[in-house]
Amino acid sequence: MKNILKNFPFPFKTGILIFSAVMIFLPIILINIFDSKNIIETKPYLFRLILLIPSLIATIGFIYCTLGYHFQIMRGDELKLRIHLESLNVAFTTTLVFLFILIFAFVNFAPTMLNYILIILSVIAIISYTLGAEFIKEKYQ
Amino acid sequence: MKNTLHILRAERRFSQDDLAKLVDVSRQTINAIEREKYDPSLPLALKIAKVFQKKVEEIFFLEK
């Protein structure tokens, strides 16, 4: 399994990434286009499908892209792999620290915000990875 | 870790890009190794040594 993943070329990554990004916001657009209150009351199963199917497609797309970019880096240049791994380290540590800070802050001051903790942590992880990569690149220049 | 990569490269009149292609890495990796910002992995050090037909320890060595 590991060898299959290592050798699989993961084609159309950028296209799939853009498509997944569109898909994740599609339910919001669809609900605004249709009469959402009417759909929720008369056809709740349709409302669930509008939410579920694009989110599922987006999730599969994001997983595909994550694996694709990861294995592309693993197969490629060793300095880029080093930068990638060090950036992942920075992102993981930052996310973990923020997890504890946010749990403390939300539980004590804004319990409803706990619903959004995963989204907030995802954004923090992406930003810390990107910033981390830039700082680490400078170290090797 | 010190290295004599830039001297060897100059002797052979290789550009960083030429050497990078020969050992299958990016030009940035060769640049980082020459500037002693990055220590190469053992397989890469062996590949570089093979290109210059020298022993690894003749190219890469610890600071005295």
Side-chain angles (χ1 to χ4, degrees):
Chain A
M1 182 66 184
K2 202 178 174 186
N3 277 340
I4 294 167
L5 278 175
K6 259 188 175 178
N7 297 323
F8 187 64
F10 290 94
F12 315 115
K13 283 190 291 292
T14 311
I16 291 170
L17 186 63
I18 295 165
F19 179 72
S20 302
V22 172
M23 277 288 132
I24 203 98
F25 292 108
L26 193 65
I28 301 166
I29 298 162
L30 286 177
I31 286 166
N32 281 324
I33 290 170
F34 302 119
D35 184 7
S36 57
K37 275 188 181 174
N38 188 30
I39 292 174
I40 293 166
E41 281 167 12
T42 57
K43 296 171 186 167
Y45 62 91
L46 185 66
F47 181 72
R48 278 193 213 114
L49 283 180
I50 288 172
L51 286 179
L52 188 72
I53 293 171
S55 309
L56 183 68
I57 294 168
T59 308
I60 293 166
F62 284 132
I63 292 169
Y64 176 87
C65 291
T66 307
L67 289 175
Y69 285 120
H70 180 74
F71 282 104
Q72 184 184 333
I73 293 167
M74 293 286 276
R75 279 193 300 267
D77 182 46
E78 68 175 53
L79 181 59
K80 284 179 185 164
L81 173 63
R82 178 80 169 262
I83 292 167
H84 171 62
L85 294 178
E86 286 188 26
S87 307
L88 280 181
N89 188 11
V90 170
F92 180 77
T93 312
T94 312
T95 309
L96 202 61
V97 168
F98 268 89
L99 172 69
F100 293 122
I101 292 170
L102 290 176
I103 286 174
F104 173 79
F106 290 168
V107 164
N108 287 292
F109 306 111
T112 51
M113 286 297 283
L114 282 168
N115 293 325
Y116 306 105
I117 199 163
L118 281 179
I119 299 168
I120 296 165
L121 284 176
S122 308
V123 173
I124 289 167
I126 292 166
I127 292 170
S128 57
Y129 177 88
T130 314
L131 289 179
E134 289 305 315
F135 280 114
I136 292 158
K137 267 182 205 166
E138 282 195 10
K139 190 173 91 177
Y140 291 116
Q141 273 172 0
Chain B
M1 194 166 70
K2 297 271 179 194
N3 68 74
T4 56
L5 199 58
H6 64 290
I7 299 165
L8 291 167
R9 199 169 53 73
E11 281 173 4
R12 303 284 198 291
R13 296 189 180 184
F14 285 160
S15 66
Q16 286 186 344
D17 203 33
D18 295 334
L19 181 60
K21 279 174 186 159
L22 284 170
V23 294
D24 200 25
V25 293
S26 69
R27 191 193 58 76
Q28 286 82 358
T29 303
I30 299 297
N31 184 46
I33 295 168
E34 279 190 9
R35 293 166 68 89
E36 292 161 11
K37 300 271 182 183
Y38 173 67
D39 295 334
S41 66
L42 185 58
L44 179 57
L46 288 166
K47 277 186 191 175
I48 291 170
K50 196 178 175 186
V51 167
F52 292 114
Q53 293 174 323
K54 288 197 178 276
K55 289 179 183 170
V56 173
E57 61 267 31
E58 288 174 323
I59 304 174
F60 301 99
F61 46 89
L62 293 170
E63 285 179 70
K64 285 171 191 171

